[in-house]
Amino acid sequence: MVKRKTCVFISGQGSNLKNLITHSRDNSFPIKISLIISNNKNANGIKYAKYYKIPYKYINSKLKNSEREILLLLKTYNITFICLAGYMKIISNKIVNGFKKKIINIHPSLLPKFKGLNTFERVLKSNEKKTGCTVHYVNNKLDDGSMIIKKIFYLKSKDNEITLKQKTQKLEHRAYPEAIIKIFRYR
């Protein structure tokens, strides 16, 4: 199997990154994580890049040449697929258009509900009966691309933002690898 050279974009803890790295080390998994990009120089996820000896780069997304720097890195590392894993920055149209149907994201809600930030708080305020996560293709609109896979769980009366996050992350760790396998099974 030819593994697709993949870049994972992160901003925070890196639990989905670690999960993807673990799966990518399996010979039958369709991607190889060849680069990690973070817009947060203090992102906890960078420690996984160091531990697994995966090249990584901090890109200050507030600088005007950041998009050009990202594109150059993607070209330098021959990246053909991108996974957003808690990347808290909107990807530029130039990058999205250059990687059509080759950028995916995981979002902690059942899209199209609760796009954007503060998802768990909004789920609770809306008295939802169920929630979960969605893996979707990235397009030029926030959390809007076509859905690849969804995972659902039902809320309990005692749930709060912390328990929702824990339950959602557990589902995300199943959903993201399943979505990647699903994508490349049909290519």
Side-chain angles (χ1 to χ4, degrees), residues 7 9 35-37 57-61 63-82 87 90-100 102-103:
C7 179
F9 286 55
L35 178 64
I36 297 165
I37 291 176
K57 181 77 174 163
Y58 160 67
I59 306 278
N60 184 344
S61 54
L63 299 177
K64 79 181 159 170
N65 69 339
S66 64
E67 176 188 274
R68 191 171 69 231
E69 192 175 353
I70 290 170
L71 287 167
L72 182 61
L73 279 167
L74 297 174
K75 186 175 180 178
T76 301
Y77 284 89
N78 298 311
I79 299 301
T80 60
F81 193 68
I82 296 171
Y87 189 62
I90 295 173
I91 300 290
S92 75
N93 286 345
K94 191 169 188 174
I95 295 171
V96 171
N97 293 337
F99 283 84
K100 277 233 188 292
K102 293 178 184 160
I103 304 175

Side-chain angles (χ1 to χ4, degrees), residues 19-178:
N19 183 51
L20 290 176
I21 291 170
T22 301
H23 278 85
S24 72
R25 297 173 84 72
D26 180 327
N27 289 334
S28 66
F29 198 67
I31 67 168
K32 175 184 192 280
I33 298 174
S34 302
L35 178 64
I36 297 165
I37 291 176
S38 177
N39 67 334
N40 173 3
K41 64 183 169 191
N42 299 314
N44 190 57
I46 291 172
K47 77 179 182 185
Y48 299 121
K50 291 176 182 177
Y51 180 81
Y52 290 102
K53 297 177 176 47
I54 299 169
Y56 68 93
K57 181 77 174 163
Y58 160 67
I59 306 278
N60 184 344
S61 54
K62 293 183 175 105
L63 299 177
K64 79 181 159 170
N65 69 339
S66 64
E67 176 188 274
R68 191 171 69 231
E69 192 175 353
I70 290 170
L71 287 167
L72 182 61
L73 279 167
L74 297 174
K75 186 175 180 178
T76 301
Y77 284 89
N78 298 311
I79 299 301
T80 60
F81 193 68
I82 296 171
C83 295
L84 306 182
Y87 189 62
M88 304 307 286
K89 172 88 175 103
I90 295 173
I91 300 290
S92 75
N93 286 345
K94 191 169 188 174
I95 295 171
V96 171
N97 293 337
F99 283 84
K100 277 233 188 292
K101 288 280 192 180
K102 293 178 184 160
I103 304 175
I104 63 173
N105 182 42
I106 189 154
H107 186 74
S109 78
L110 300 174
L111 292 174
K113 286 185 169 187
F114 309 109
K115 296 177 181 184
L117 301 174
N118 305 315
T119 307
F120 305 123
E121 177 187 337
R122 293 186 292 144
V123 165
L124 291 168
K125 280 185 180 174
S126 296
N127 294 314
E128 293 294 311
K129 301 283 184 247
K130 62 184 178 182
T131 189
C133 64
T134 307
V135 182
H136 64 95
Y137 287 103
V138 173
N139 64 17
N140 295 330
K141 295 179 184 170
L142 179 66
D143 296 327
D144 186 67
S146 57
M147 190 265 302
I148 302 161
I149 199 167
K150 285 186 184 186
K151 295 281 184 193
I152 296 167
F153 69 89
Y154 290 88
L155 278 79
K156 296 189 169 141
S157 59
K158 64 180 177 21
D159 275 325
N160 57 41
E161 287 183 47
I162 294 167
T163 61
L164 286 188
K165 182 177 181 179
Q166 291 168 341
K167 290 177 181 182
T168 302
Q169 281 185 331
K170 192 173 182 179
L171 281 185
E172 287 177 346
H173 294 168
R174 286 183 27 223
Y176 222 162
E178 283 180 30

